[in-house]
Amino acid sequence: GTFEFIELGETANVQNSGTFNLTDTGANNNDVYLYIRGDNTGDALFTNLADGVMNFHTGTSSLDRIRIDGANRAYDHFVNDGTINVSSDGSGYTEFDNGVTFDNNGLVNVLGGILYLKGGNEGVTTGDFAVSSGATLNFDTNNSTFGSGTAITGAGTTRFNGGTSTFNTGASLLTTGLTISGGTVNIADDHTFGAATLSVGRLGGTGDLTFTGAVEFTQFYLDGAGTTTFDGTTTLSRASTGTSEFIELG
């Protein structure tokens, strides 16, 4: 019946160089919060340093949630220079929300459950994301930029649900499961994907993109200077009345 929290107020600057655990396995609607809440008097910043390890673990219920939460005022920042491990026993999830920007210069392991990144990033992400089978990395709402050396890898699913995600030259998007649903993804380099779900979004950039697996389309835009090749089974279908499905080449 309670929720647990740590709150960083305006101008707070907190660093972790040890092991920092956030856990919610309570299966109720009271979450575990790390509040990062700067204001116009100064930014609030949490940094996981290069030798720091942060473990975010949730339980079996979708009510098990860890929230790194801001105040939607553009002053709330989280920087990872070390290692973050996200795990779940079932349907629990971890989210960075309400304006908290997330810059990853280290390693993020999504081992289970879902990691929602809803605040975009403040600079350019240069670190790696590893998404295990059955887990999901979800970029949602705001814009993210990935610089040279960044790699998103693994047998899990990477979803782009909103905003614009830009992969600059030298950045790699190599997860097995790619889903774009409401977001825009621009990729500078050539990439080969397996299966993908492309729905109500946009895919472009300068890279040549090849899909070797099954691709499911609904209301999607393809544009950019590169060439897109489909080598597997590609399907555009309409499952309900009142909607029109399309692929548009911009």
Side-chain angles (χ1 to χ4, degrees), residues 59-118:
T60 58
S61 171
S62 61
L63 297 178
D64 294 331
R65 294 171 292 200
I66 293 170
R67 300 186 65 181
I68 295 81
D69 197 79
N72 275 324
R73 291 192 295 241
Y75 308 110
D76 315 319
H77 311 294
F78 187 104
V79 175
N80 176 49
D81 293 327
T83 300
I84 293 176
N85 300 308
V86 178
S87 60
S88 176
D89 296 326
S91 300
Y93 60 88
T94 298
E95 64 180 357
F96 287 74
D97 198 8
N98 287 330
V100 175
T101 60
F102 182 85
D103 287 322
N104 176 35
N105 306 308
L107 173 62
V108 176
N109 295 308
V110 188
L111 305 170
I114 305 173
L115 172 60
Y116 291 97
L117 299 177
K118 298 183 176 182

Side-chain angles (χ1 to χ4, degrees), residues 28-228:
N28 57 46
N29 205 31
N30 295 287
D31 304 331
V32 171
Y33 285 90
L34 173 59
Y35 288 115
I36 303 174
R37 294 190 167 180
D39 64 15
N40 58 5
T41 65
D43 291 8
L45 171 65
F46 189 105
T47 303
N48 187 39
L49 296 175
D51 54 350
V53 177
M54 300 191 73
N55 299 307
F56 302 151
H57 180 72
T58 54
T60 58
S61 171
S62 61
L63 297 178
D64 294 331
R65 294 171 292 200
I66 293 170
R67 300 186 65 181
I68 295 81
D69 197 79
N72 275 324
R73 291 192 295 241
Y75 308 110
D76 315 319
H77 311 294
F78 187 104
V79 175
N80 176 49
D81 293 327
T83 300
I84 293 176
N85 300 308
V86 178
S87 60
S88 176
D89 296 326
S91 300
Y93 60 88
T94 298
E95 64 180 357
F96 287 74
D97 198 8
N98 287 330
V100 175
T101 60
F102 182 85
D103 287 322
N104 176 35
N105 306 308
L107 173 62
V108 176
N109 295 308
V110 188
L111 305 170
I114 305 173
L115 172 60
Y116 291 97
L117 299 177
K118 298 183 176 182
N121 55 19
E122 178 73 4
V124 176
T125 282
T126 59
D128 295 332
F129 297 85
V131 189
S132 298
S133 178
T136 300
L137 172 62
N138 197 323
F139 296 95
D140 200 350
T141 308
N142 284 301
N143 301 333
S144 296
T145 302
F146 303 90
S148 179
T150 295
I152 302 178
T153 62
T157 297
T158 301
R159 299 176 60 93
F160 299 91
N161 277 3
T164 298
S165 295
T166 301
F167 289 81
N168 291 338
T169 299
S172 300
L173 174 58
L174 299 173
T175 46
T176 301
L178 171 64
T179 298
I180 302 175
S181 180
T184 295
V185 178
N186 294 314
I187 301 175
D189 290 345
D190 298 350
H191 275 67
T192 297
F193 302 100
T197 300
L198 306 177
S199 175
V200 198
R202 185 180 298 269
L203 176 63
T206 57
D208 292 338
L209 308 179
T210 301
F211 292 85
T212 60
V215 178
E216 297 283 341
F217 275 105
T218 54
Q219 298 184 0
F220 201 80
Y221 297 86
L222 295 170
D223 55 20
T227 298
T228 303

